[in-house]
Amino acid sequence: MGDTAKLTAGGGDYEFPMKSGTLGPDVVDIGKLYGKTGMFTYDPGFTSTASCDSGLTFIDGEEGVLLHRGYPIGQLAENSSFMEVSYLLLNGELPSKDELDTFEFTITRHTMLHDQLRQFYQGFRRDAHPMAIMCGVVGALSAFYHDSTDISDPEHRKISSHRLIAKMPTIAAMAYKYAIGQPFMQPDNRLSYTGNFLRMTFGVPAEEYEVVPAVEKALDRIFILHADHEQNASTSTVRLAGSSGANPFACIAAGIACLWGPAHGGANEAALNMLHEIGTPDKIPEYIARAKNKDDPFRLMGFGHRVYKNYDPRATVMQKTVREVFDALNVSDPVFEVALQLEEMALNDDYFVEKKLFPNVDFYSGVILSAIGFPTEMFTALFALARTVGWVAQWNEMISDPGQRIGRPRQLYTGPEKRDYVPIAQR
């Protein structure tokens, strides 16, 4: 018999089995807590609750560790590609060359959207937020691709997974093109996943679009760094929606809706807005002083992280990448100079070092995306594009789990006690 955890509650002593994972803290299995004690646990935000078993991603926030299928994120971002990481998350192992070639070929041949979906875009206002468009279009995919929505069929799940990963760049690029009034650009099968997205976003029919290698690599790294992040809010939303048996397109649309929230997907936009507020490098000391003043509402956005109590491991790669992009594009905007000098000053300031307020991935990604030419309202859409593979992998893992059950969180009821209905004339 394995280890158990003892609980004293309501005058009784109880034992519950413990489980150990490959890495990370042990967990207490409280599945029979209510049956034994008549009580539930209370954990708003589920910050101390493991909702599932998962072999995809491991995070140790105290040590600044992020692993995908056991591989450190730094190694993947430096040496791999988004397509290879996508294969890894979906299949559990890095692919051989033939396997990767086949996977990339499959994804490339699924990038086009059903032509009727072009008319779907015309139902939105031109100033609609890209995330509103993505929620609607992704949710509508099940009406066009209902030949792969039988979630009990592994082949259907595989086809749906490939379709979602492949079509997300097309959907996001079309949302951008629609907003600025330019014609949609069809995918080009000769380009890489990331290069194709850049062309569909910034290319025009009147001339050839030239992909800048440094920009393509930087965006590919951003996609890798956002591919999956364990059981966060949007991933848990996808799993909860999927637990009811909903089709994968609806589940990913639910994830997009959750990611849209500023507390989840809007951090890089907030970081860039802060840099614009600071404006010029000479004002940095003033704003750093304000950030240290607990009575001042100003906060340095893009520094520190809820999960990582040490340095964000994803930020290490981006630190180098931001300079590569600036050099390739000859960036001279003072806002980007503010970013570089603010980073240097904060990393060498005892206050920020002691409180472990290091620049995180959102600080760097916002700066890079802006330098490439993306407007801030597209930032969260790019996040959703990259995170789709993580959502799909998590959804597949959940559906394949024989112990999977529909999600049903409990509550602590604080409303009125039972009372009798009073006719309206007597109130």
Side-chain angles (χ1 to χ4, degrees), residues 14 34 61 65 68 88 114 143 176 182 188 225 234 265 269 280 298 324 338 340 360 368 371 383 412 420 424:
Y14 307 92
Y34 179 69
V65 172
H68 287 329
L88 171 68
H114 194 290
Y176 173 73
Q182 289 186 359
D188 186 341
L225 297 173
S234 59
E269 183 176 345
T280 54
F298 175 77
E324 293 172 351
V338 169
L340 297 179
N360 60 36
I368 292 172
F383 194 160
L412 176 65
D420 293 327
I424 193 168

Side-chain angles (χ1 to χ4, degrees), residues 46-84:
F46 309 113
T47 55
S48 296
T49 300
S51 61
C52 62
D53 297 336
S54 180
L56 271 78
T57 300
F58 172 75
I59 296 172
D60 184 338
E62 296 295 332
E63 297 298 325
V65 172
L66 171 59
L67 308 177
H68 287 329
R69 300 288 195 180
Y71 295 98
I73 189 64
Q75 293 181 21
L76 293 173
E78 283 282 2
N79 306 305
S80 189
S81 67
F82 182 64
M83 281 291 90
E84 187 174 51

Side-chain angles (χ1 to χ4, degrees), residues 120-121 123-140 168 171-172 174-176 178-179 252-261 377-378 380-382 384:
F120 197 88
Y121 279 79
F124 293 98
R125 285 172 52 115
R126 290 281 180 180
D127 60 354
H129 196 286
M131 291 294 278
I133 295 175
M134 291 185 74
C135 279
V137 174
V138 173
M168 203 61 73
I171 292 169
M174 288 173 68
Y176 173 73
Y178 184 74
I252 301 306
I256 292 171
C258 181
L259 184 67
W260 192 359
E377 58 267 22
M378 277 294 291
T380 316
L382 291 169

Side-chain angles (χ1 to χ4, degrees), residues 110-188:
H110 276 300
T111 51
M112 289 180 62
L113 288 182
H114 194 290
D115 197 56
Q116 277 186 270
L117 275 170
R118 295 163 64 90
Q119 300 172 31
F120 197 88
Y121 279 79
Q122 295 171 5
F124 293 98
R125 285 172 52 115
R126 290 281 180 180
D127 60 354
H129 196 286
M131 291 294 278
I133 295 175
M134 291 185 74
C135 279
V137 174
V138 173
L141 289 178
S142 59
F144 293 87
Y145 301 105
H146 44 73
D147 60 333
S148 61
T149 54
D150 181 359
I151 64 171
S152 64
D153 186 333
E155 190 62 25
H156 277 217
R157 296 201 300 270
K158 182 178 179 181
I159 294 171
S160 292
S161 299
H162 290 164
R163 282 175 169 166
L164 279 160
I165 295 166
K167 296 180 191 306
M168 203 61 73
T170 313
I171 292 169
M174 288 173 68
Y176 173 73
K177 287 297 194 186
Y178 184 74
I180 63 175
Q182 289 186 359
F184 298 142
M185 295 288 288
Q186 290 295 336
D188 186 341

Side-chain angles (χ1 to χ4, degrees), residues 232-397:
N232 52 75
S234 59
T235 298
S236 297
T237 299
V238 170
R239 279 182 171 264
L240 193 60
S243 74
S244 72
N247 72 73
F249 303 108
C251 296
I252 301 306
I256 292 171
C258 181
L259 184 67
W260 192 359
H264 190 3
N268 50 12
E269 183 176 345
L272 189 66
N273 290 338
M274 175 201 68
L275 295 175
H276 281 290
E277 180 182 344
I278 295 174
T280 54
D282 60 289
K283 293 183 180 178
I284 294 176
E286 172 194 340
Y287 278 88
I288 284 185
R290 289 182 59 187
K292 294 177 183 179
N293 182 358
K294 64 180 181 181
D295 296 323
D296 192 310
F298 175 77
R299 293 291 179 266
L300 281 182
M301 306 303 295
F303 287 78
H305 195 278
R306 180 181 177 184
V307 173
Y308 299 109
K309 307 308 178 188
N310 207 313
Y311 201 80
D312 183 343
R314 302 169 297 172
T316 307
V317 179
M318 298 310 291
Q319 206 173 13
K320 178 177 121 180
T321 304
V322 72
R323 286 158 176 79
E324 293 172 351
V325 171
F326 284 8
D327 290 342
L329 298 178
N330 296 315
V331 171
S332 59
D333 191 319
V335 168
F336 302 122
E337 188 60 35
V338 169
L340 297 179
Q341 292 195 27
L342 177 60
E343 171 205 40
E344 184 177 355
M345 292 180 72
L347 287 173
N348 292 287
D349 189 297
D350 291 341
Y351 175 86
F352 294 102
V353 173
E354 288 172 8
K355 292 187 174 292
K356 298 182 179 179
L357 294 174
F358 302 112
N360 60 36
V361 70
D362 299 307
F363 176 80
Y364 294 110
S365 64
V367 171
I368 292 172
L369 293 176
S370 181
I372 291 173
F374 290 103
T376 53
E377 58 267 22
M378 277 294 291
F379 287 5
T380 316
L382 291 169
F383 194 160
L385 188 167
R387 184 54 59 85
T388 295
V389 65
W391 289 334
V392 165
Q394 296 272 357
W395 172 81
N396 269 296
E397 184 180 59

